[in-house]
């Protein structure tokens, strides 16, 4: 039987690090950001709609999306962000459903007896989804939401070290997402990521062990 867990958190919360660790443990994840980037590649119908919606400036000379230009628009105007989310959602729904259905077929006959050492890896798939609470995708819903959590200032400091964004740009992006307080209210499980990478790994191990007990 398949189980879907939504892994989410605001910008700078450590989703990529957590997802990479889950891969190392043998879990499959569906990376919504990666799929969204694929939809924005040259020749994709989603990119065509984005250019039609936000103007020719949304396209760079090499045919790729001008992410900086579109980002400035959507992270400064909630209505413009809804337009972008709506365009992406239509195409993401189809791709995510296909990936989820494939995993469900493979997990259908897996039992603890048949796979005692990798039962979780064969039956649990993760949605690596930054907008788990914000965008109502028409896909198989996650049965639990795991939220990576750390305070907002620490997130800002980590993003400043990682990305070429100003503090003002970071705050705009944070404000465009569900607040930390709201995410914590909606979370089924909270994974602290205020410490080292090794501490995050231990916290993920604890979350997996806790989930394993709950589905016995």
């Amino acid at each position: 039987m398949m189980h879907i867990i939504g892994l989410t958190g605001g910008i700078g919360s450590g989703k990529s690090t957590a997802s990479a660790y889950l891969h190392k443990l043998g879990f499959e994840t569906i990376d919504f950001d990666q799929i969204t980037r694929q939809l924005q590649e040259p020749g994709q119908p989603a990119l065509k709609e984005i250019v039609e919606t936000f103007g020719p400036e949304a396209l760079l000379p090499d045919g790729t999306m001008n992410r900086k230009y579109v980002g400035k628009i959507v992270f400064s105007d909630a209505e413009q962000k809804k337009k972008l989310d709506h365009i992406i959602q239509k195409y993401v729904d189809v791709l995510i459903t296909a990936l989820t259905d494939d995993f469900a077929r493979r997990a259908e006959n897996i039992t603890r007896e048949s796979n005692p050492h990798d039962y979780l890896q064969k039956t649990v798939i993760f949605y690596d989804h930054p907008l788990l609470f914000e965008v109502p995708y028409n896909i198989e819903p996650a049965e639990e939401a795991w939220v990576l959590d750390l305070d907002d200032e620490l997130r800002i400091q980590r993003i400043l070290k990682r990305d070429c964004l100003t503090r003002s740009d970071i705050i705009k992006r944070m404000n465009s997402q569900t607040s930390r307080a709201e995410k914590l209210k909606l979370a089924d499980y909270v994974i602290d990521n205020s410490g080292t990478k090794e501490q995050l790994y231990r916290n993920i191990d604890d979350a997996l062990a806790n989930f394993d007990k709950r589905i016995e």
Side-chain angles (χ1 to χ4, degrees):
M1 176 181 176
M2 175 181 69
H3 300 279
I4 303 173
I5 296 175
L7 182 69
T8 192
I11 180 175
S13 61
K15 291 184 302 300
S16 296
T17 302
S19 184
Y21 181 63
L22 289 167
H23 272 292
K24 184 178 179 180
L25 293 177
F27 288 94
E28 289 191 37
T29 65
I30 297 178
D31 187 334
F32 280 64
D33 276 345
Q34 184 181 45
I35 288 175
T36 297
R37 286 193 293 271
Q38 291 172 357
L39 293 173
Q40 296 168 359
E41 292 176 353
Q44 292 291 330
L47 179 58
K48 183 175 183 290
E49 283 196 47
I50 290 170
V51 174
E52 290 172 351
T53 301
F54 297 103
E57 296 90 345
L59 200 65
L60 292 171
D62 64 358
T64 60
M65 189 174 103
N66 188 340
R67 299 181 192 280
K68 187 174 182 180
Y69 171 79
V70 175
K72 281 187 176 294
I73 293 174
V74 301
F75 291 117
S76 300
D77 187 325
E79 287 304 313
Q80 295 298 319
K81 188 173 185 301
K82 285 181 182 178
K83 290 180 183 179
L84 179 63
D85 289 342
H86 178 69
I87 293 169
I88 296 300
Q89 177 189 346
K90 294 184 297 181
Y91 298 96
V92 168
D93 284 348
V94 175
L95 295 175
I96 297 299
T97 296
L99 291 170
T100 306
D101 287 350
D102 176 66
F103 186 84
R105 284 191 293 271
R106 287 183 279 128
E108 187 173 3
N109 297 315
I110 300 296
T111 65
R112 290 186 184 275
E113 290 72 27
S114 67
N115 291 74
H117 303 298
D118 61 355
Y119 175 72
L120 284 185
Q121 287 87 342
K122 296 295 185 182
T123 59
V124 177
I125 190 167
F126 285 85
Y127 287 164
D128 179 355
H129 193 353
L131 300 178
L132 187 69
F133 302 131
E134 289 89 343
V135 180
Y137 289 106
N138 185 29
I139 57 177
E140 186 74 22
E143 61 188 82
E144 288 195 5
W146 290 9
V147 172
L148 289 158
D149 181 59
L150 63 163
D151 69 63
D152 289 346
E153 183 56 35
L154 184 52
R155 286 168 57 201
I156 290 171
Q157 293 305 316
R158 290 183 178 180
I159 299 165
L160 285 170
K161 291 180 181 178
R162 183 191 71 189
D163 299 336
C164 296
L165 294 172
T166 65
R167 186 182 184 89
S168 175
D169 286 339
I170 293 169
I171 291 173
K172 283 181 181 178
R173 296 190 179 208
M174 289 172 66
N175 290 339
S176 74
Q177 298 178 336
T178 301
S179 69
R180 179 191 181 197
E182 188 63 22
K183 278 186 169 67
L184 293 177
K185 286 181 185 178
L186 296 169
D188 295 294
Y189 200 95
V190 177
I191 300 174
D192 178 64
N193 189 22
S194 59
T196 65
K197 188 181 293 186
E198 288 69 28
Q199 287 171 325
L200 171 61
Y201 293 165
R202 287 196 293 272
N203 292 338
I204 292 173
D205 290 339
D206 289 342
L208 290 167
N210 183 286
F211 182 77
D212 193 22
K213 290 179 182 177
R214 285 185 280 117
I215 62 170
E216 284 182 345

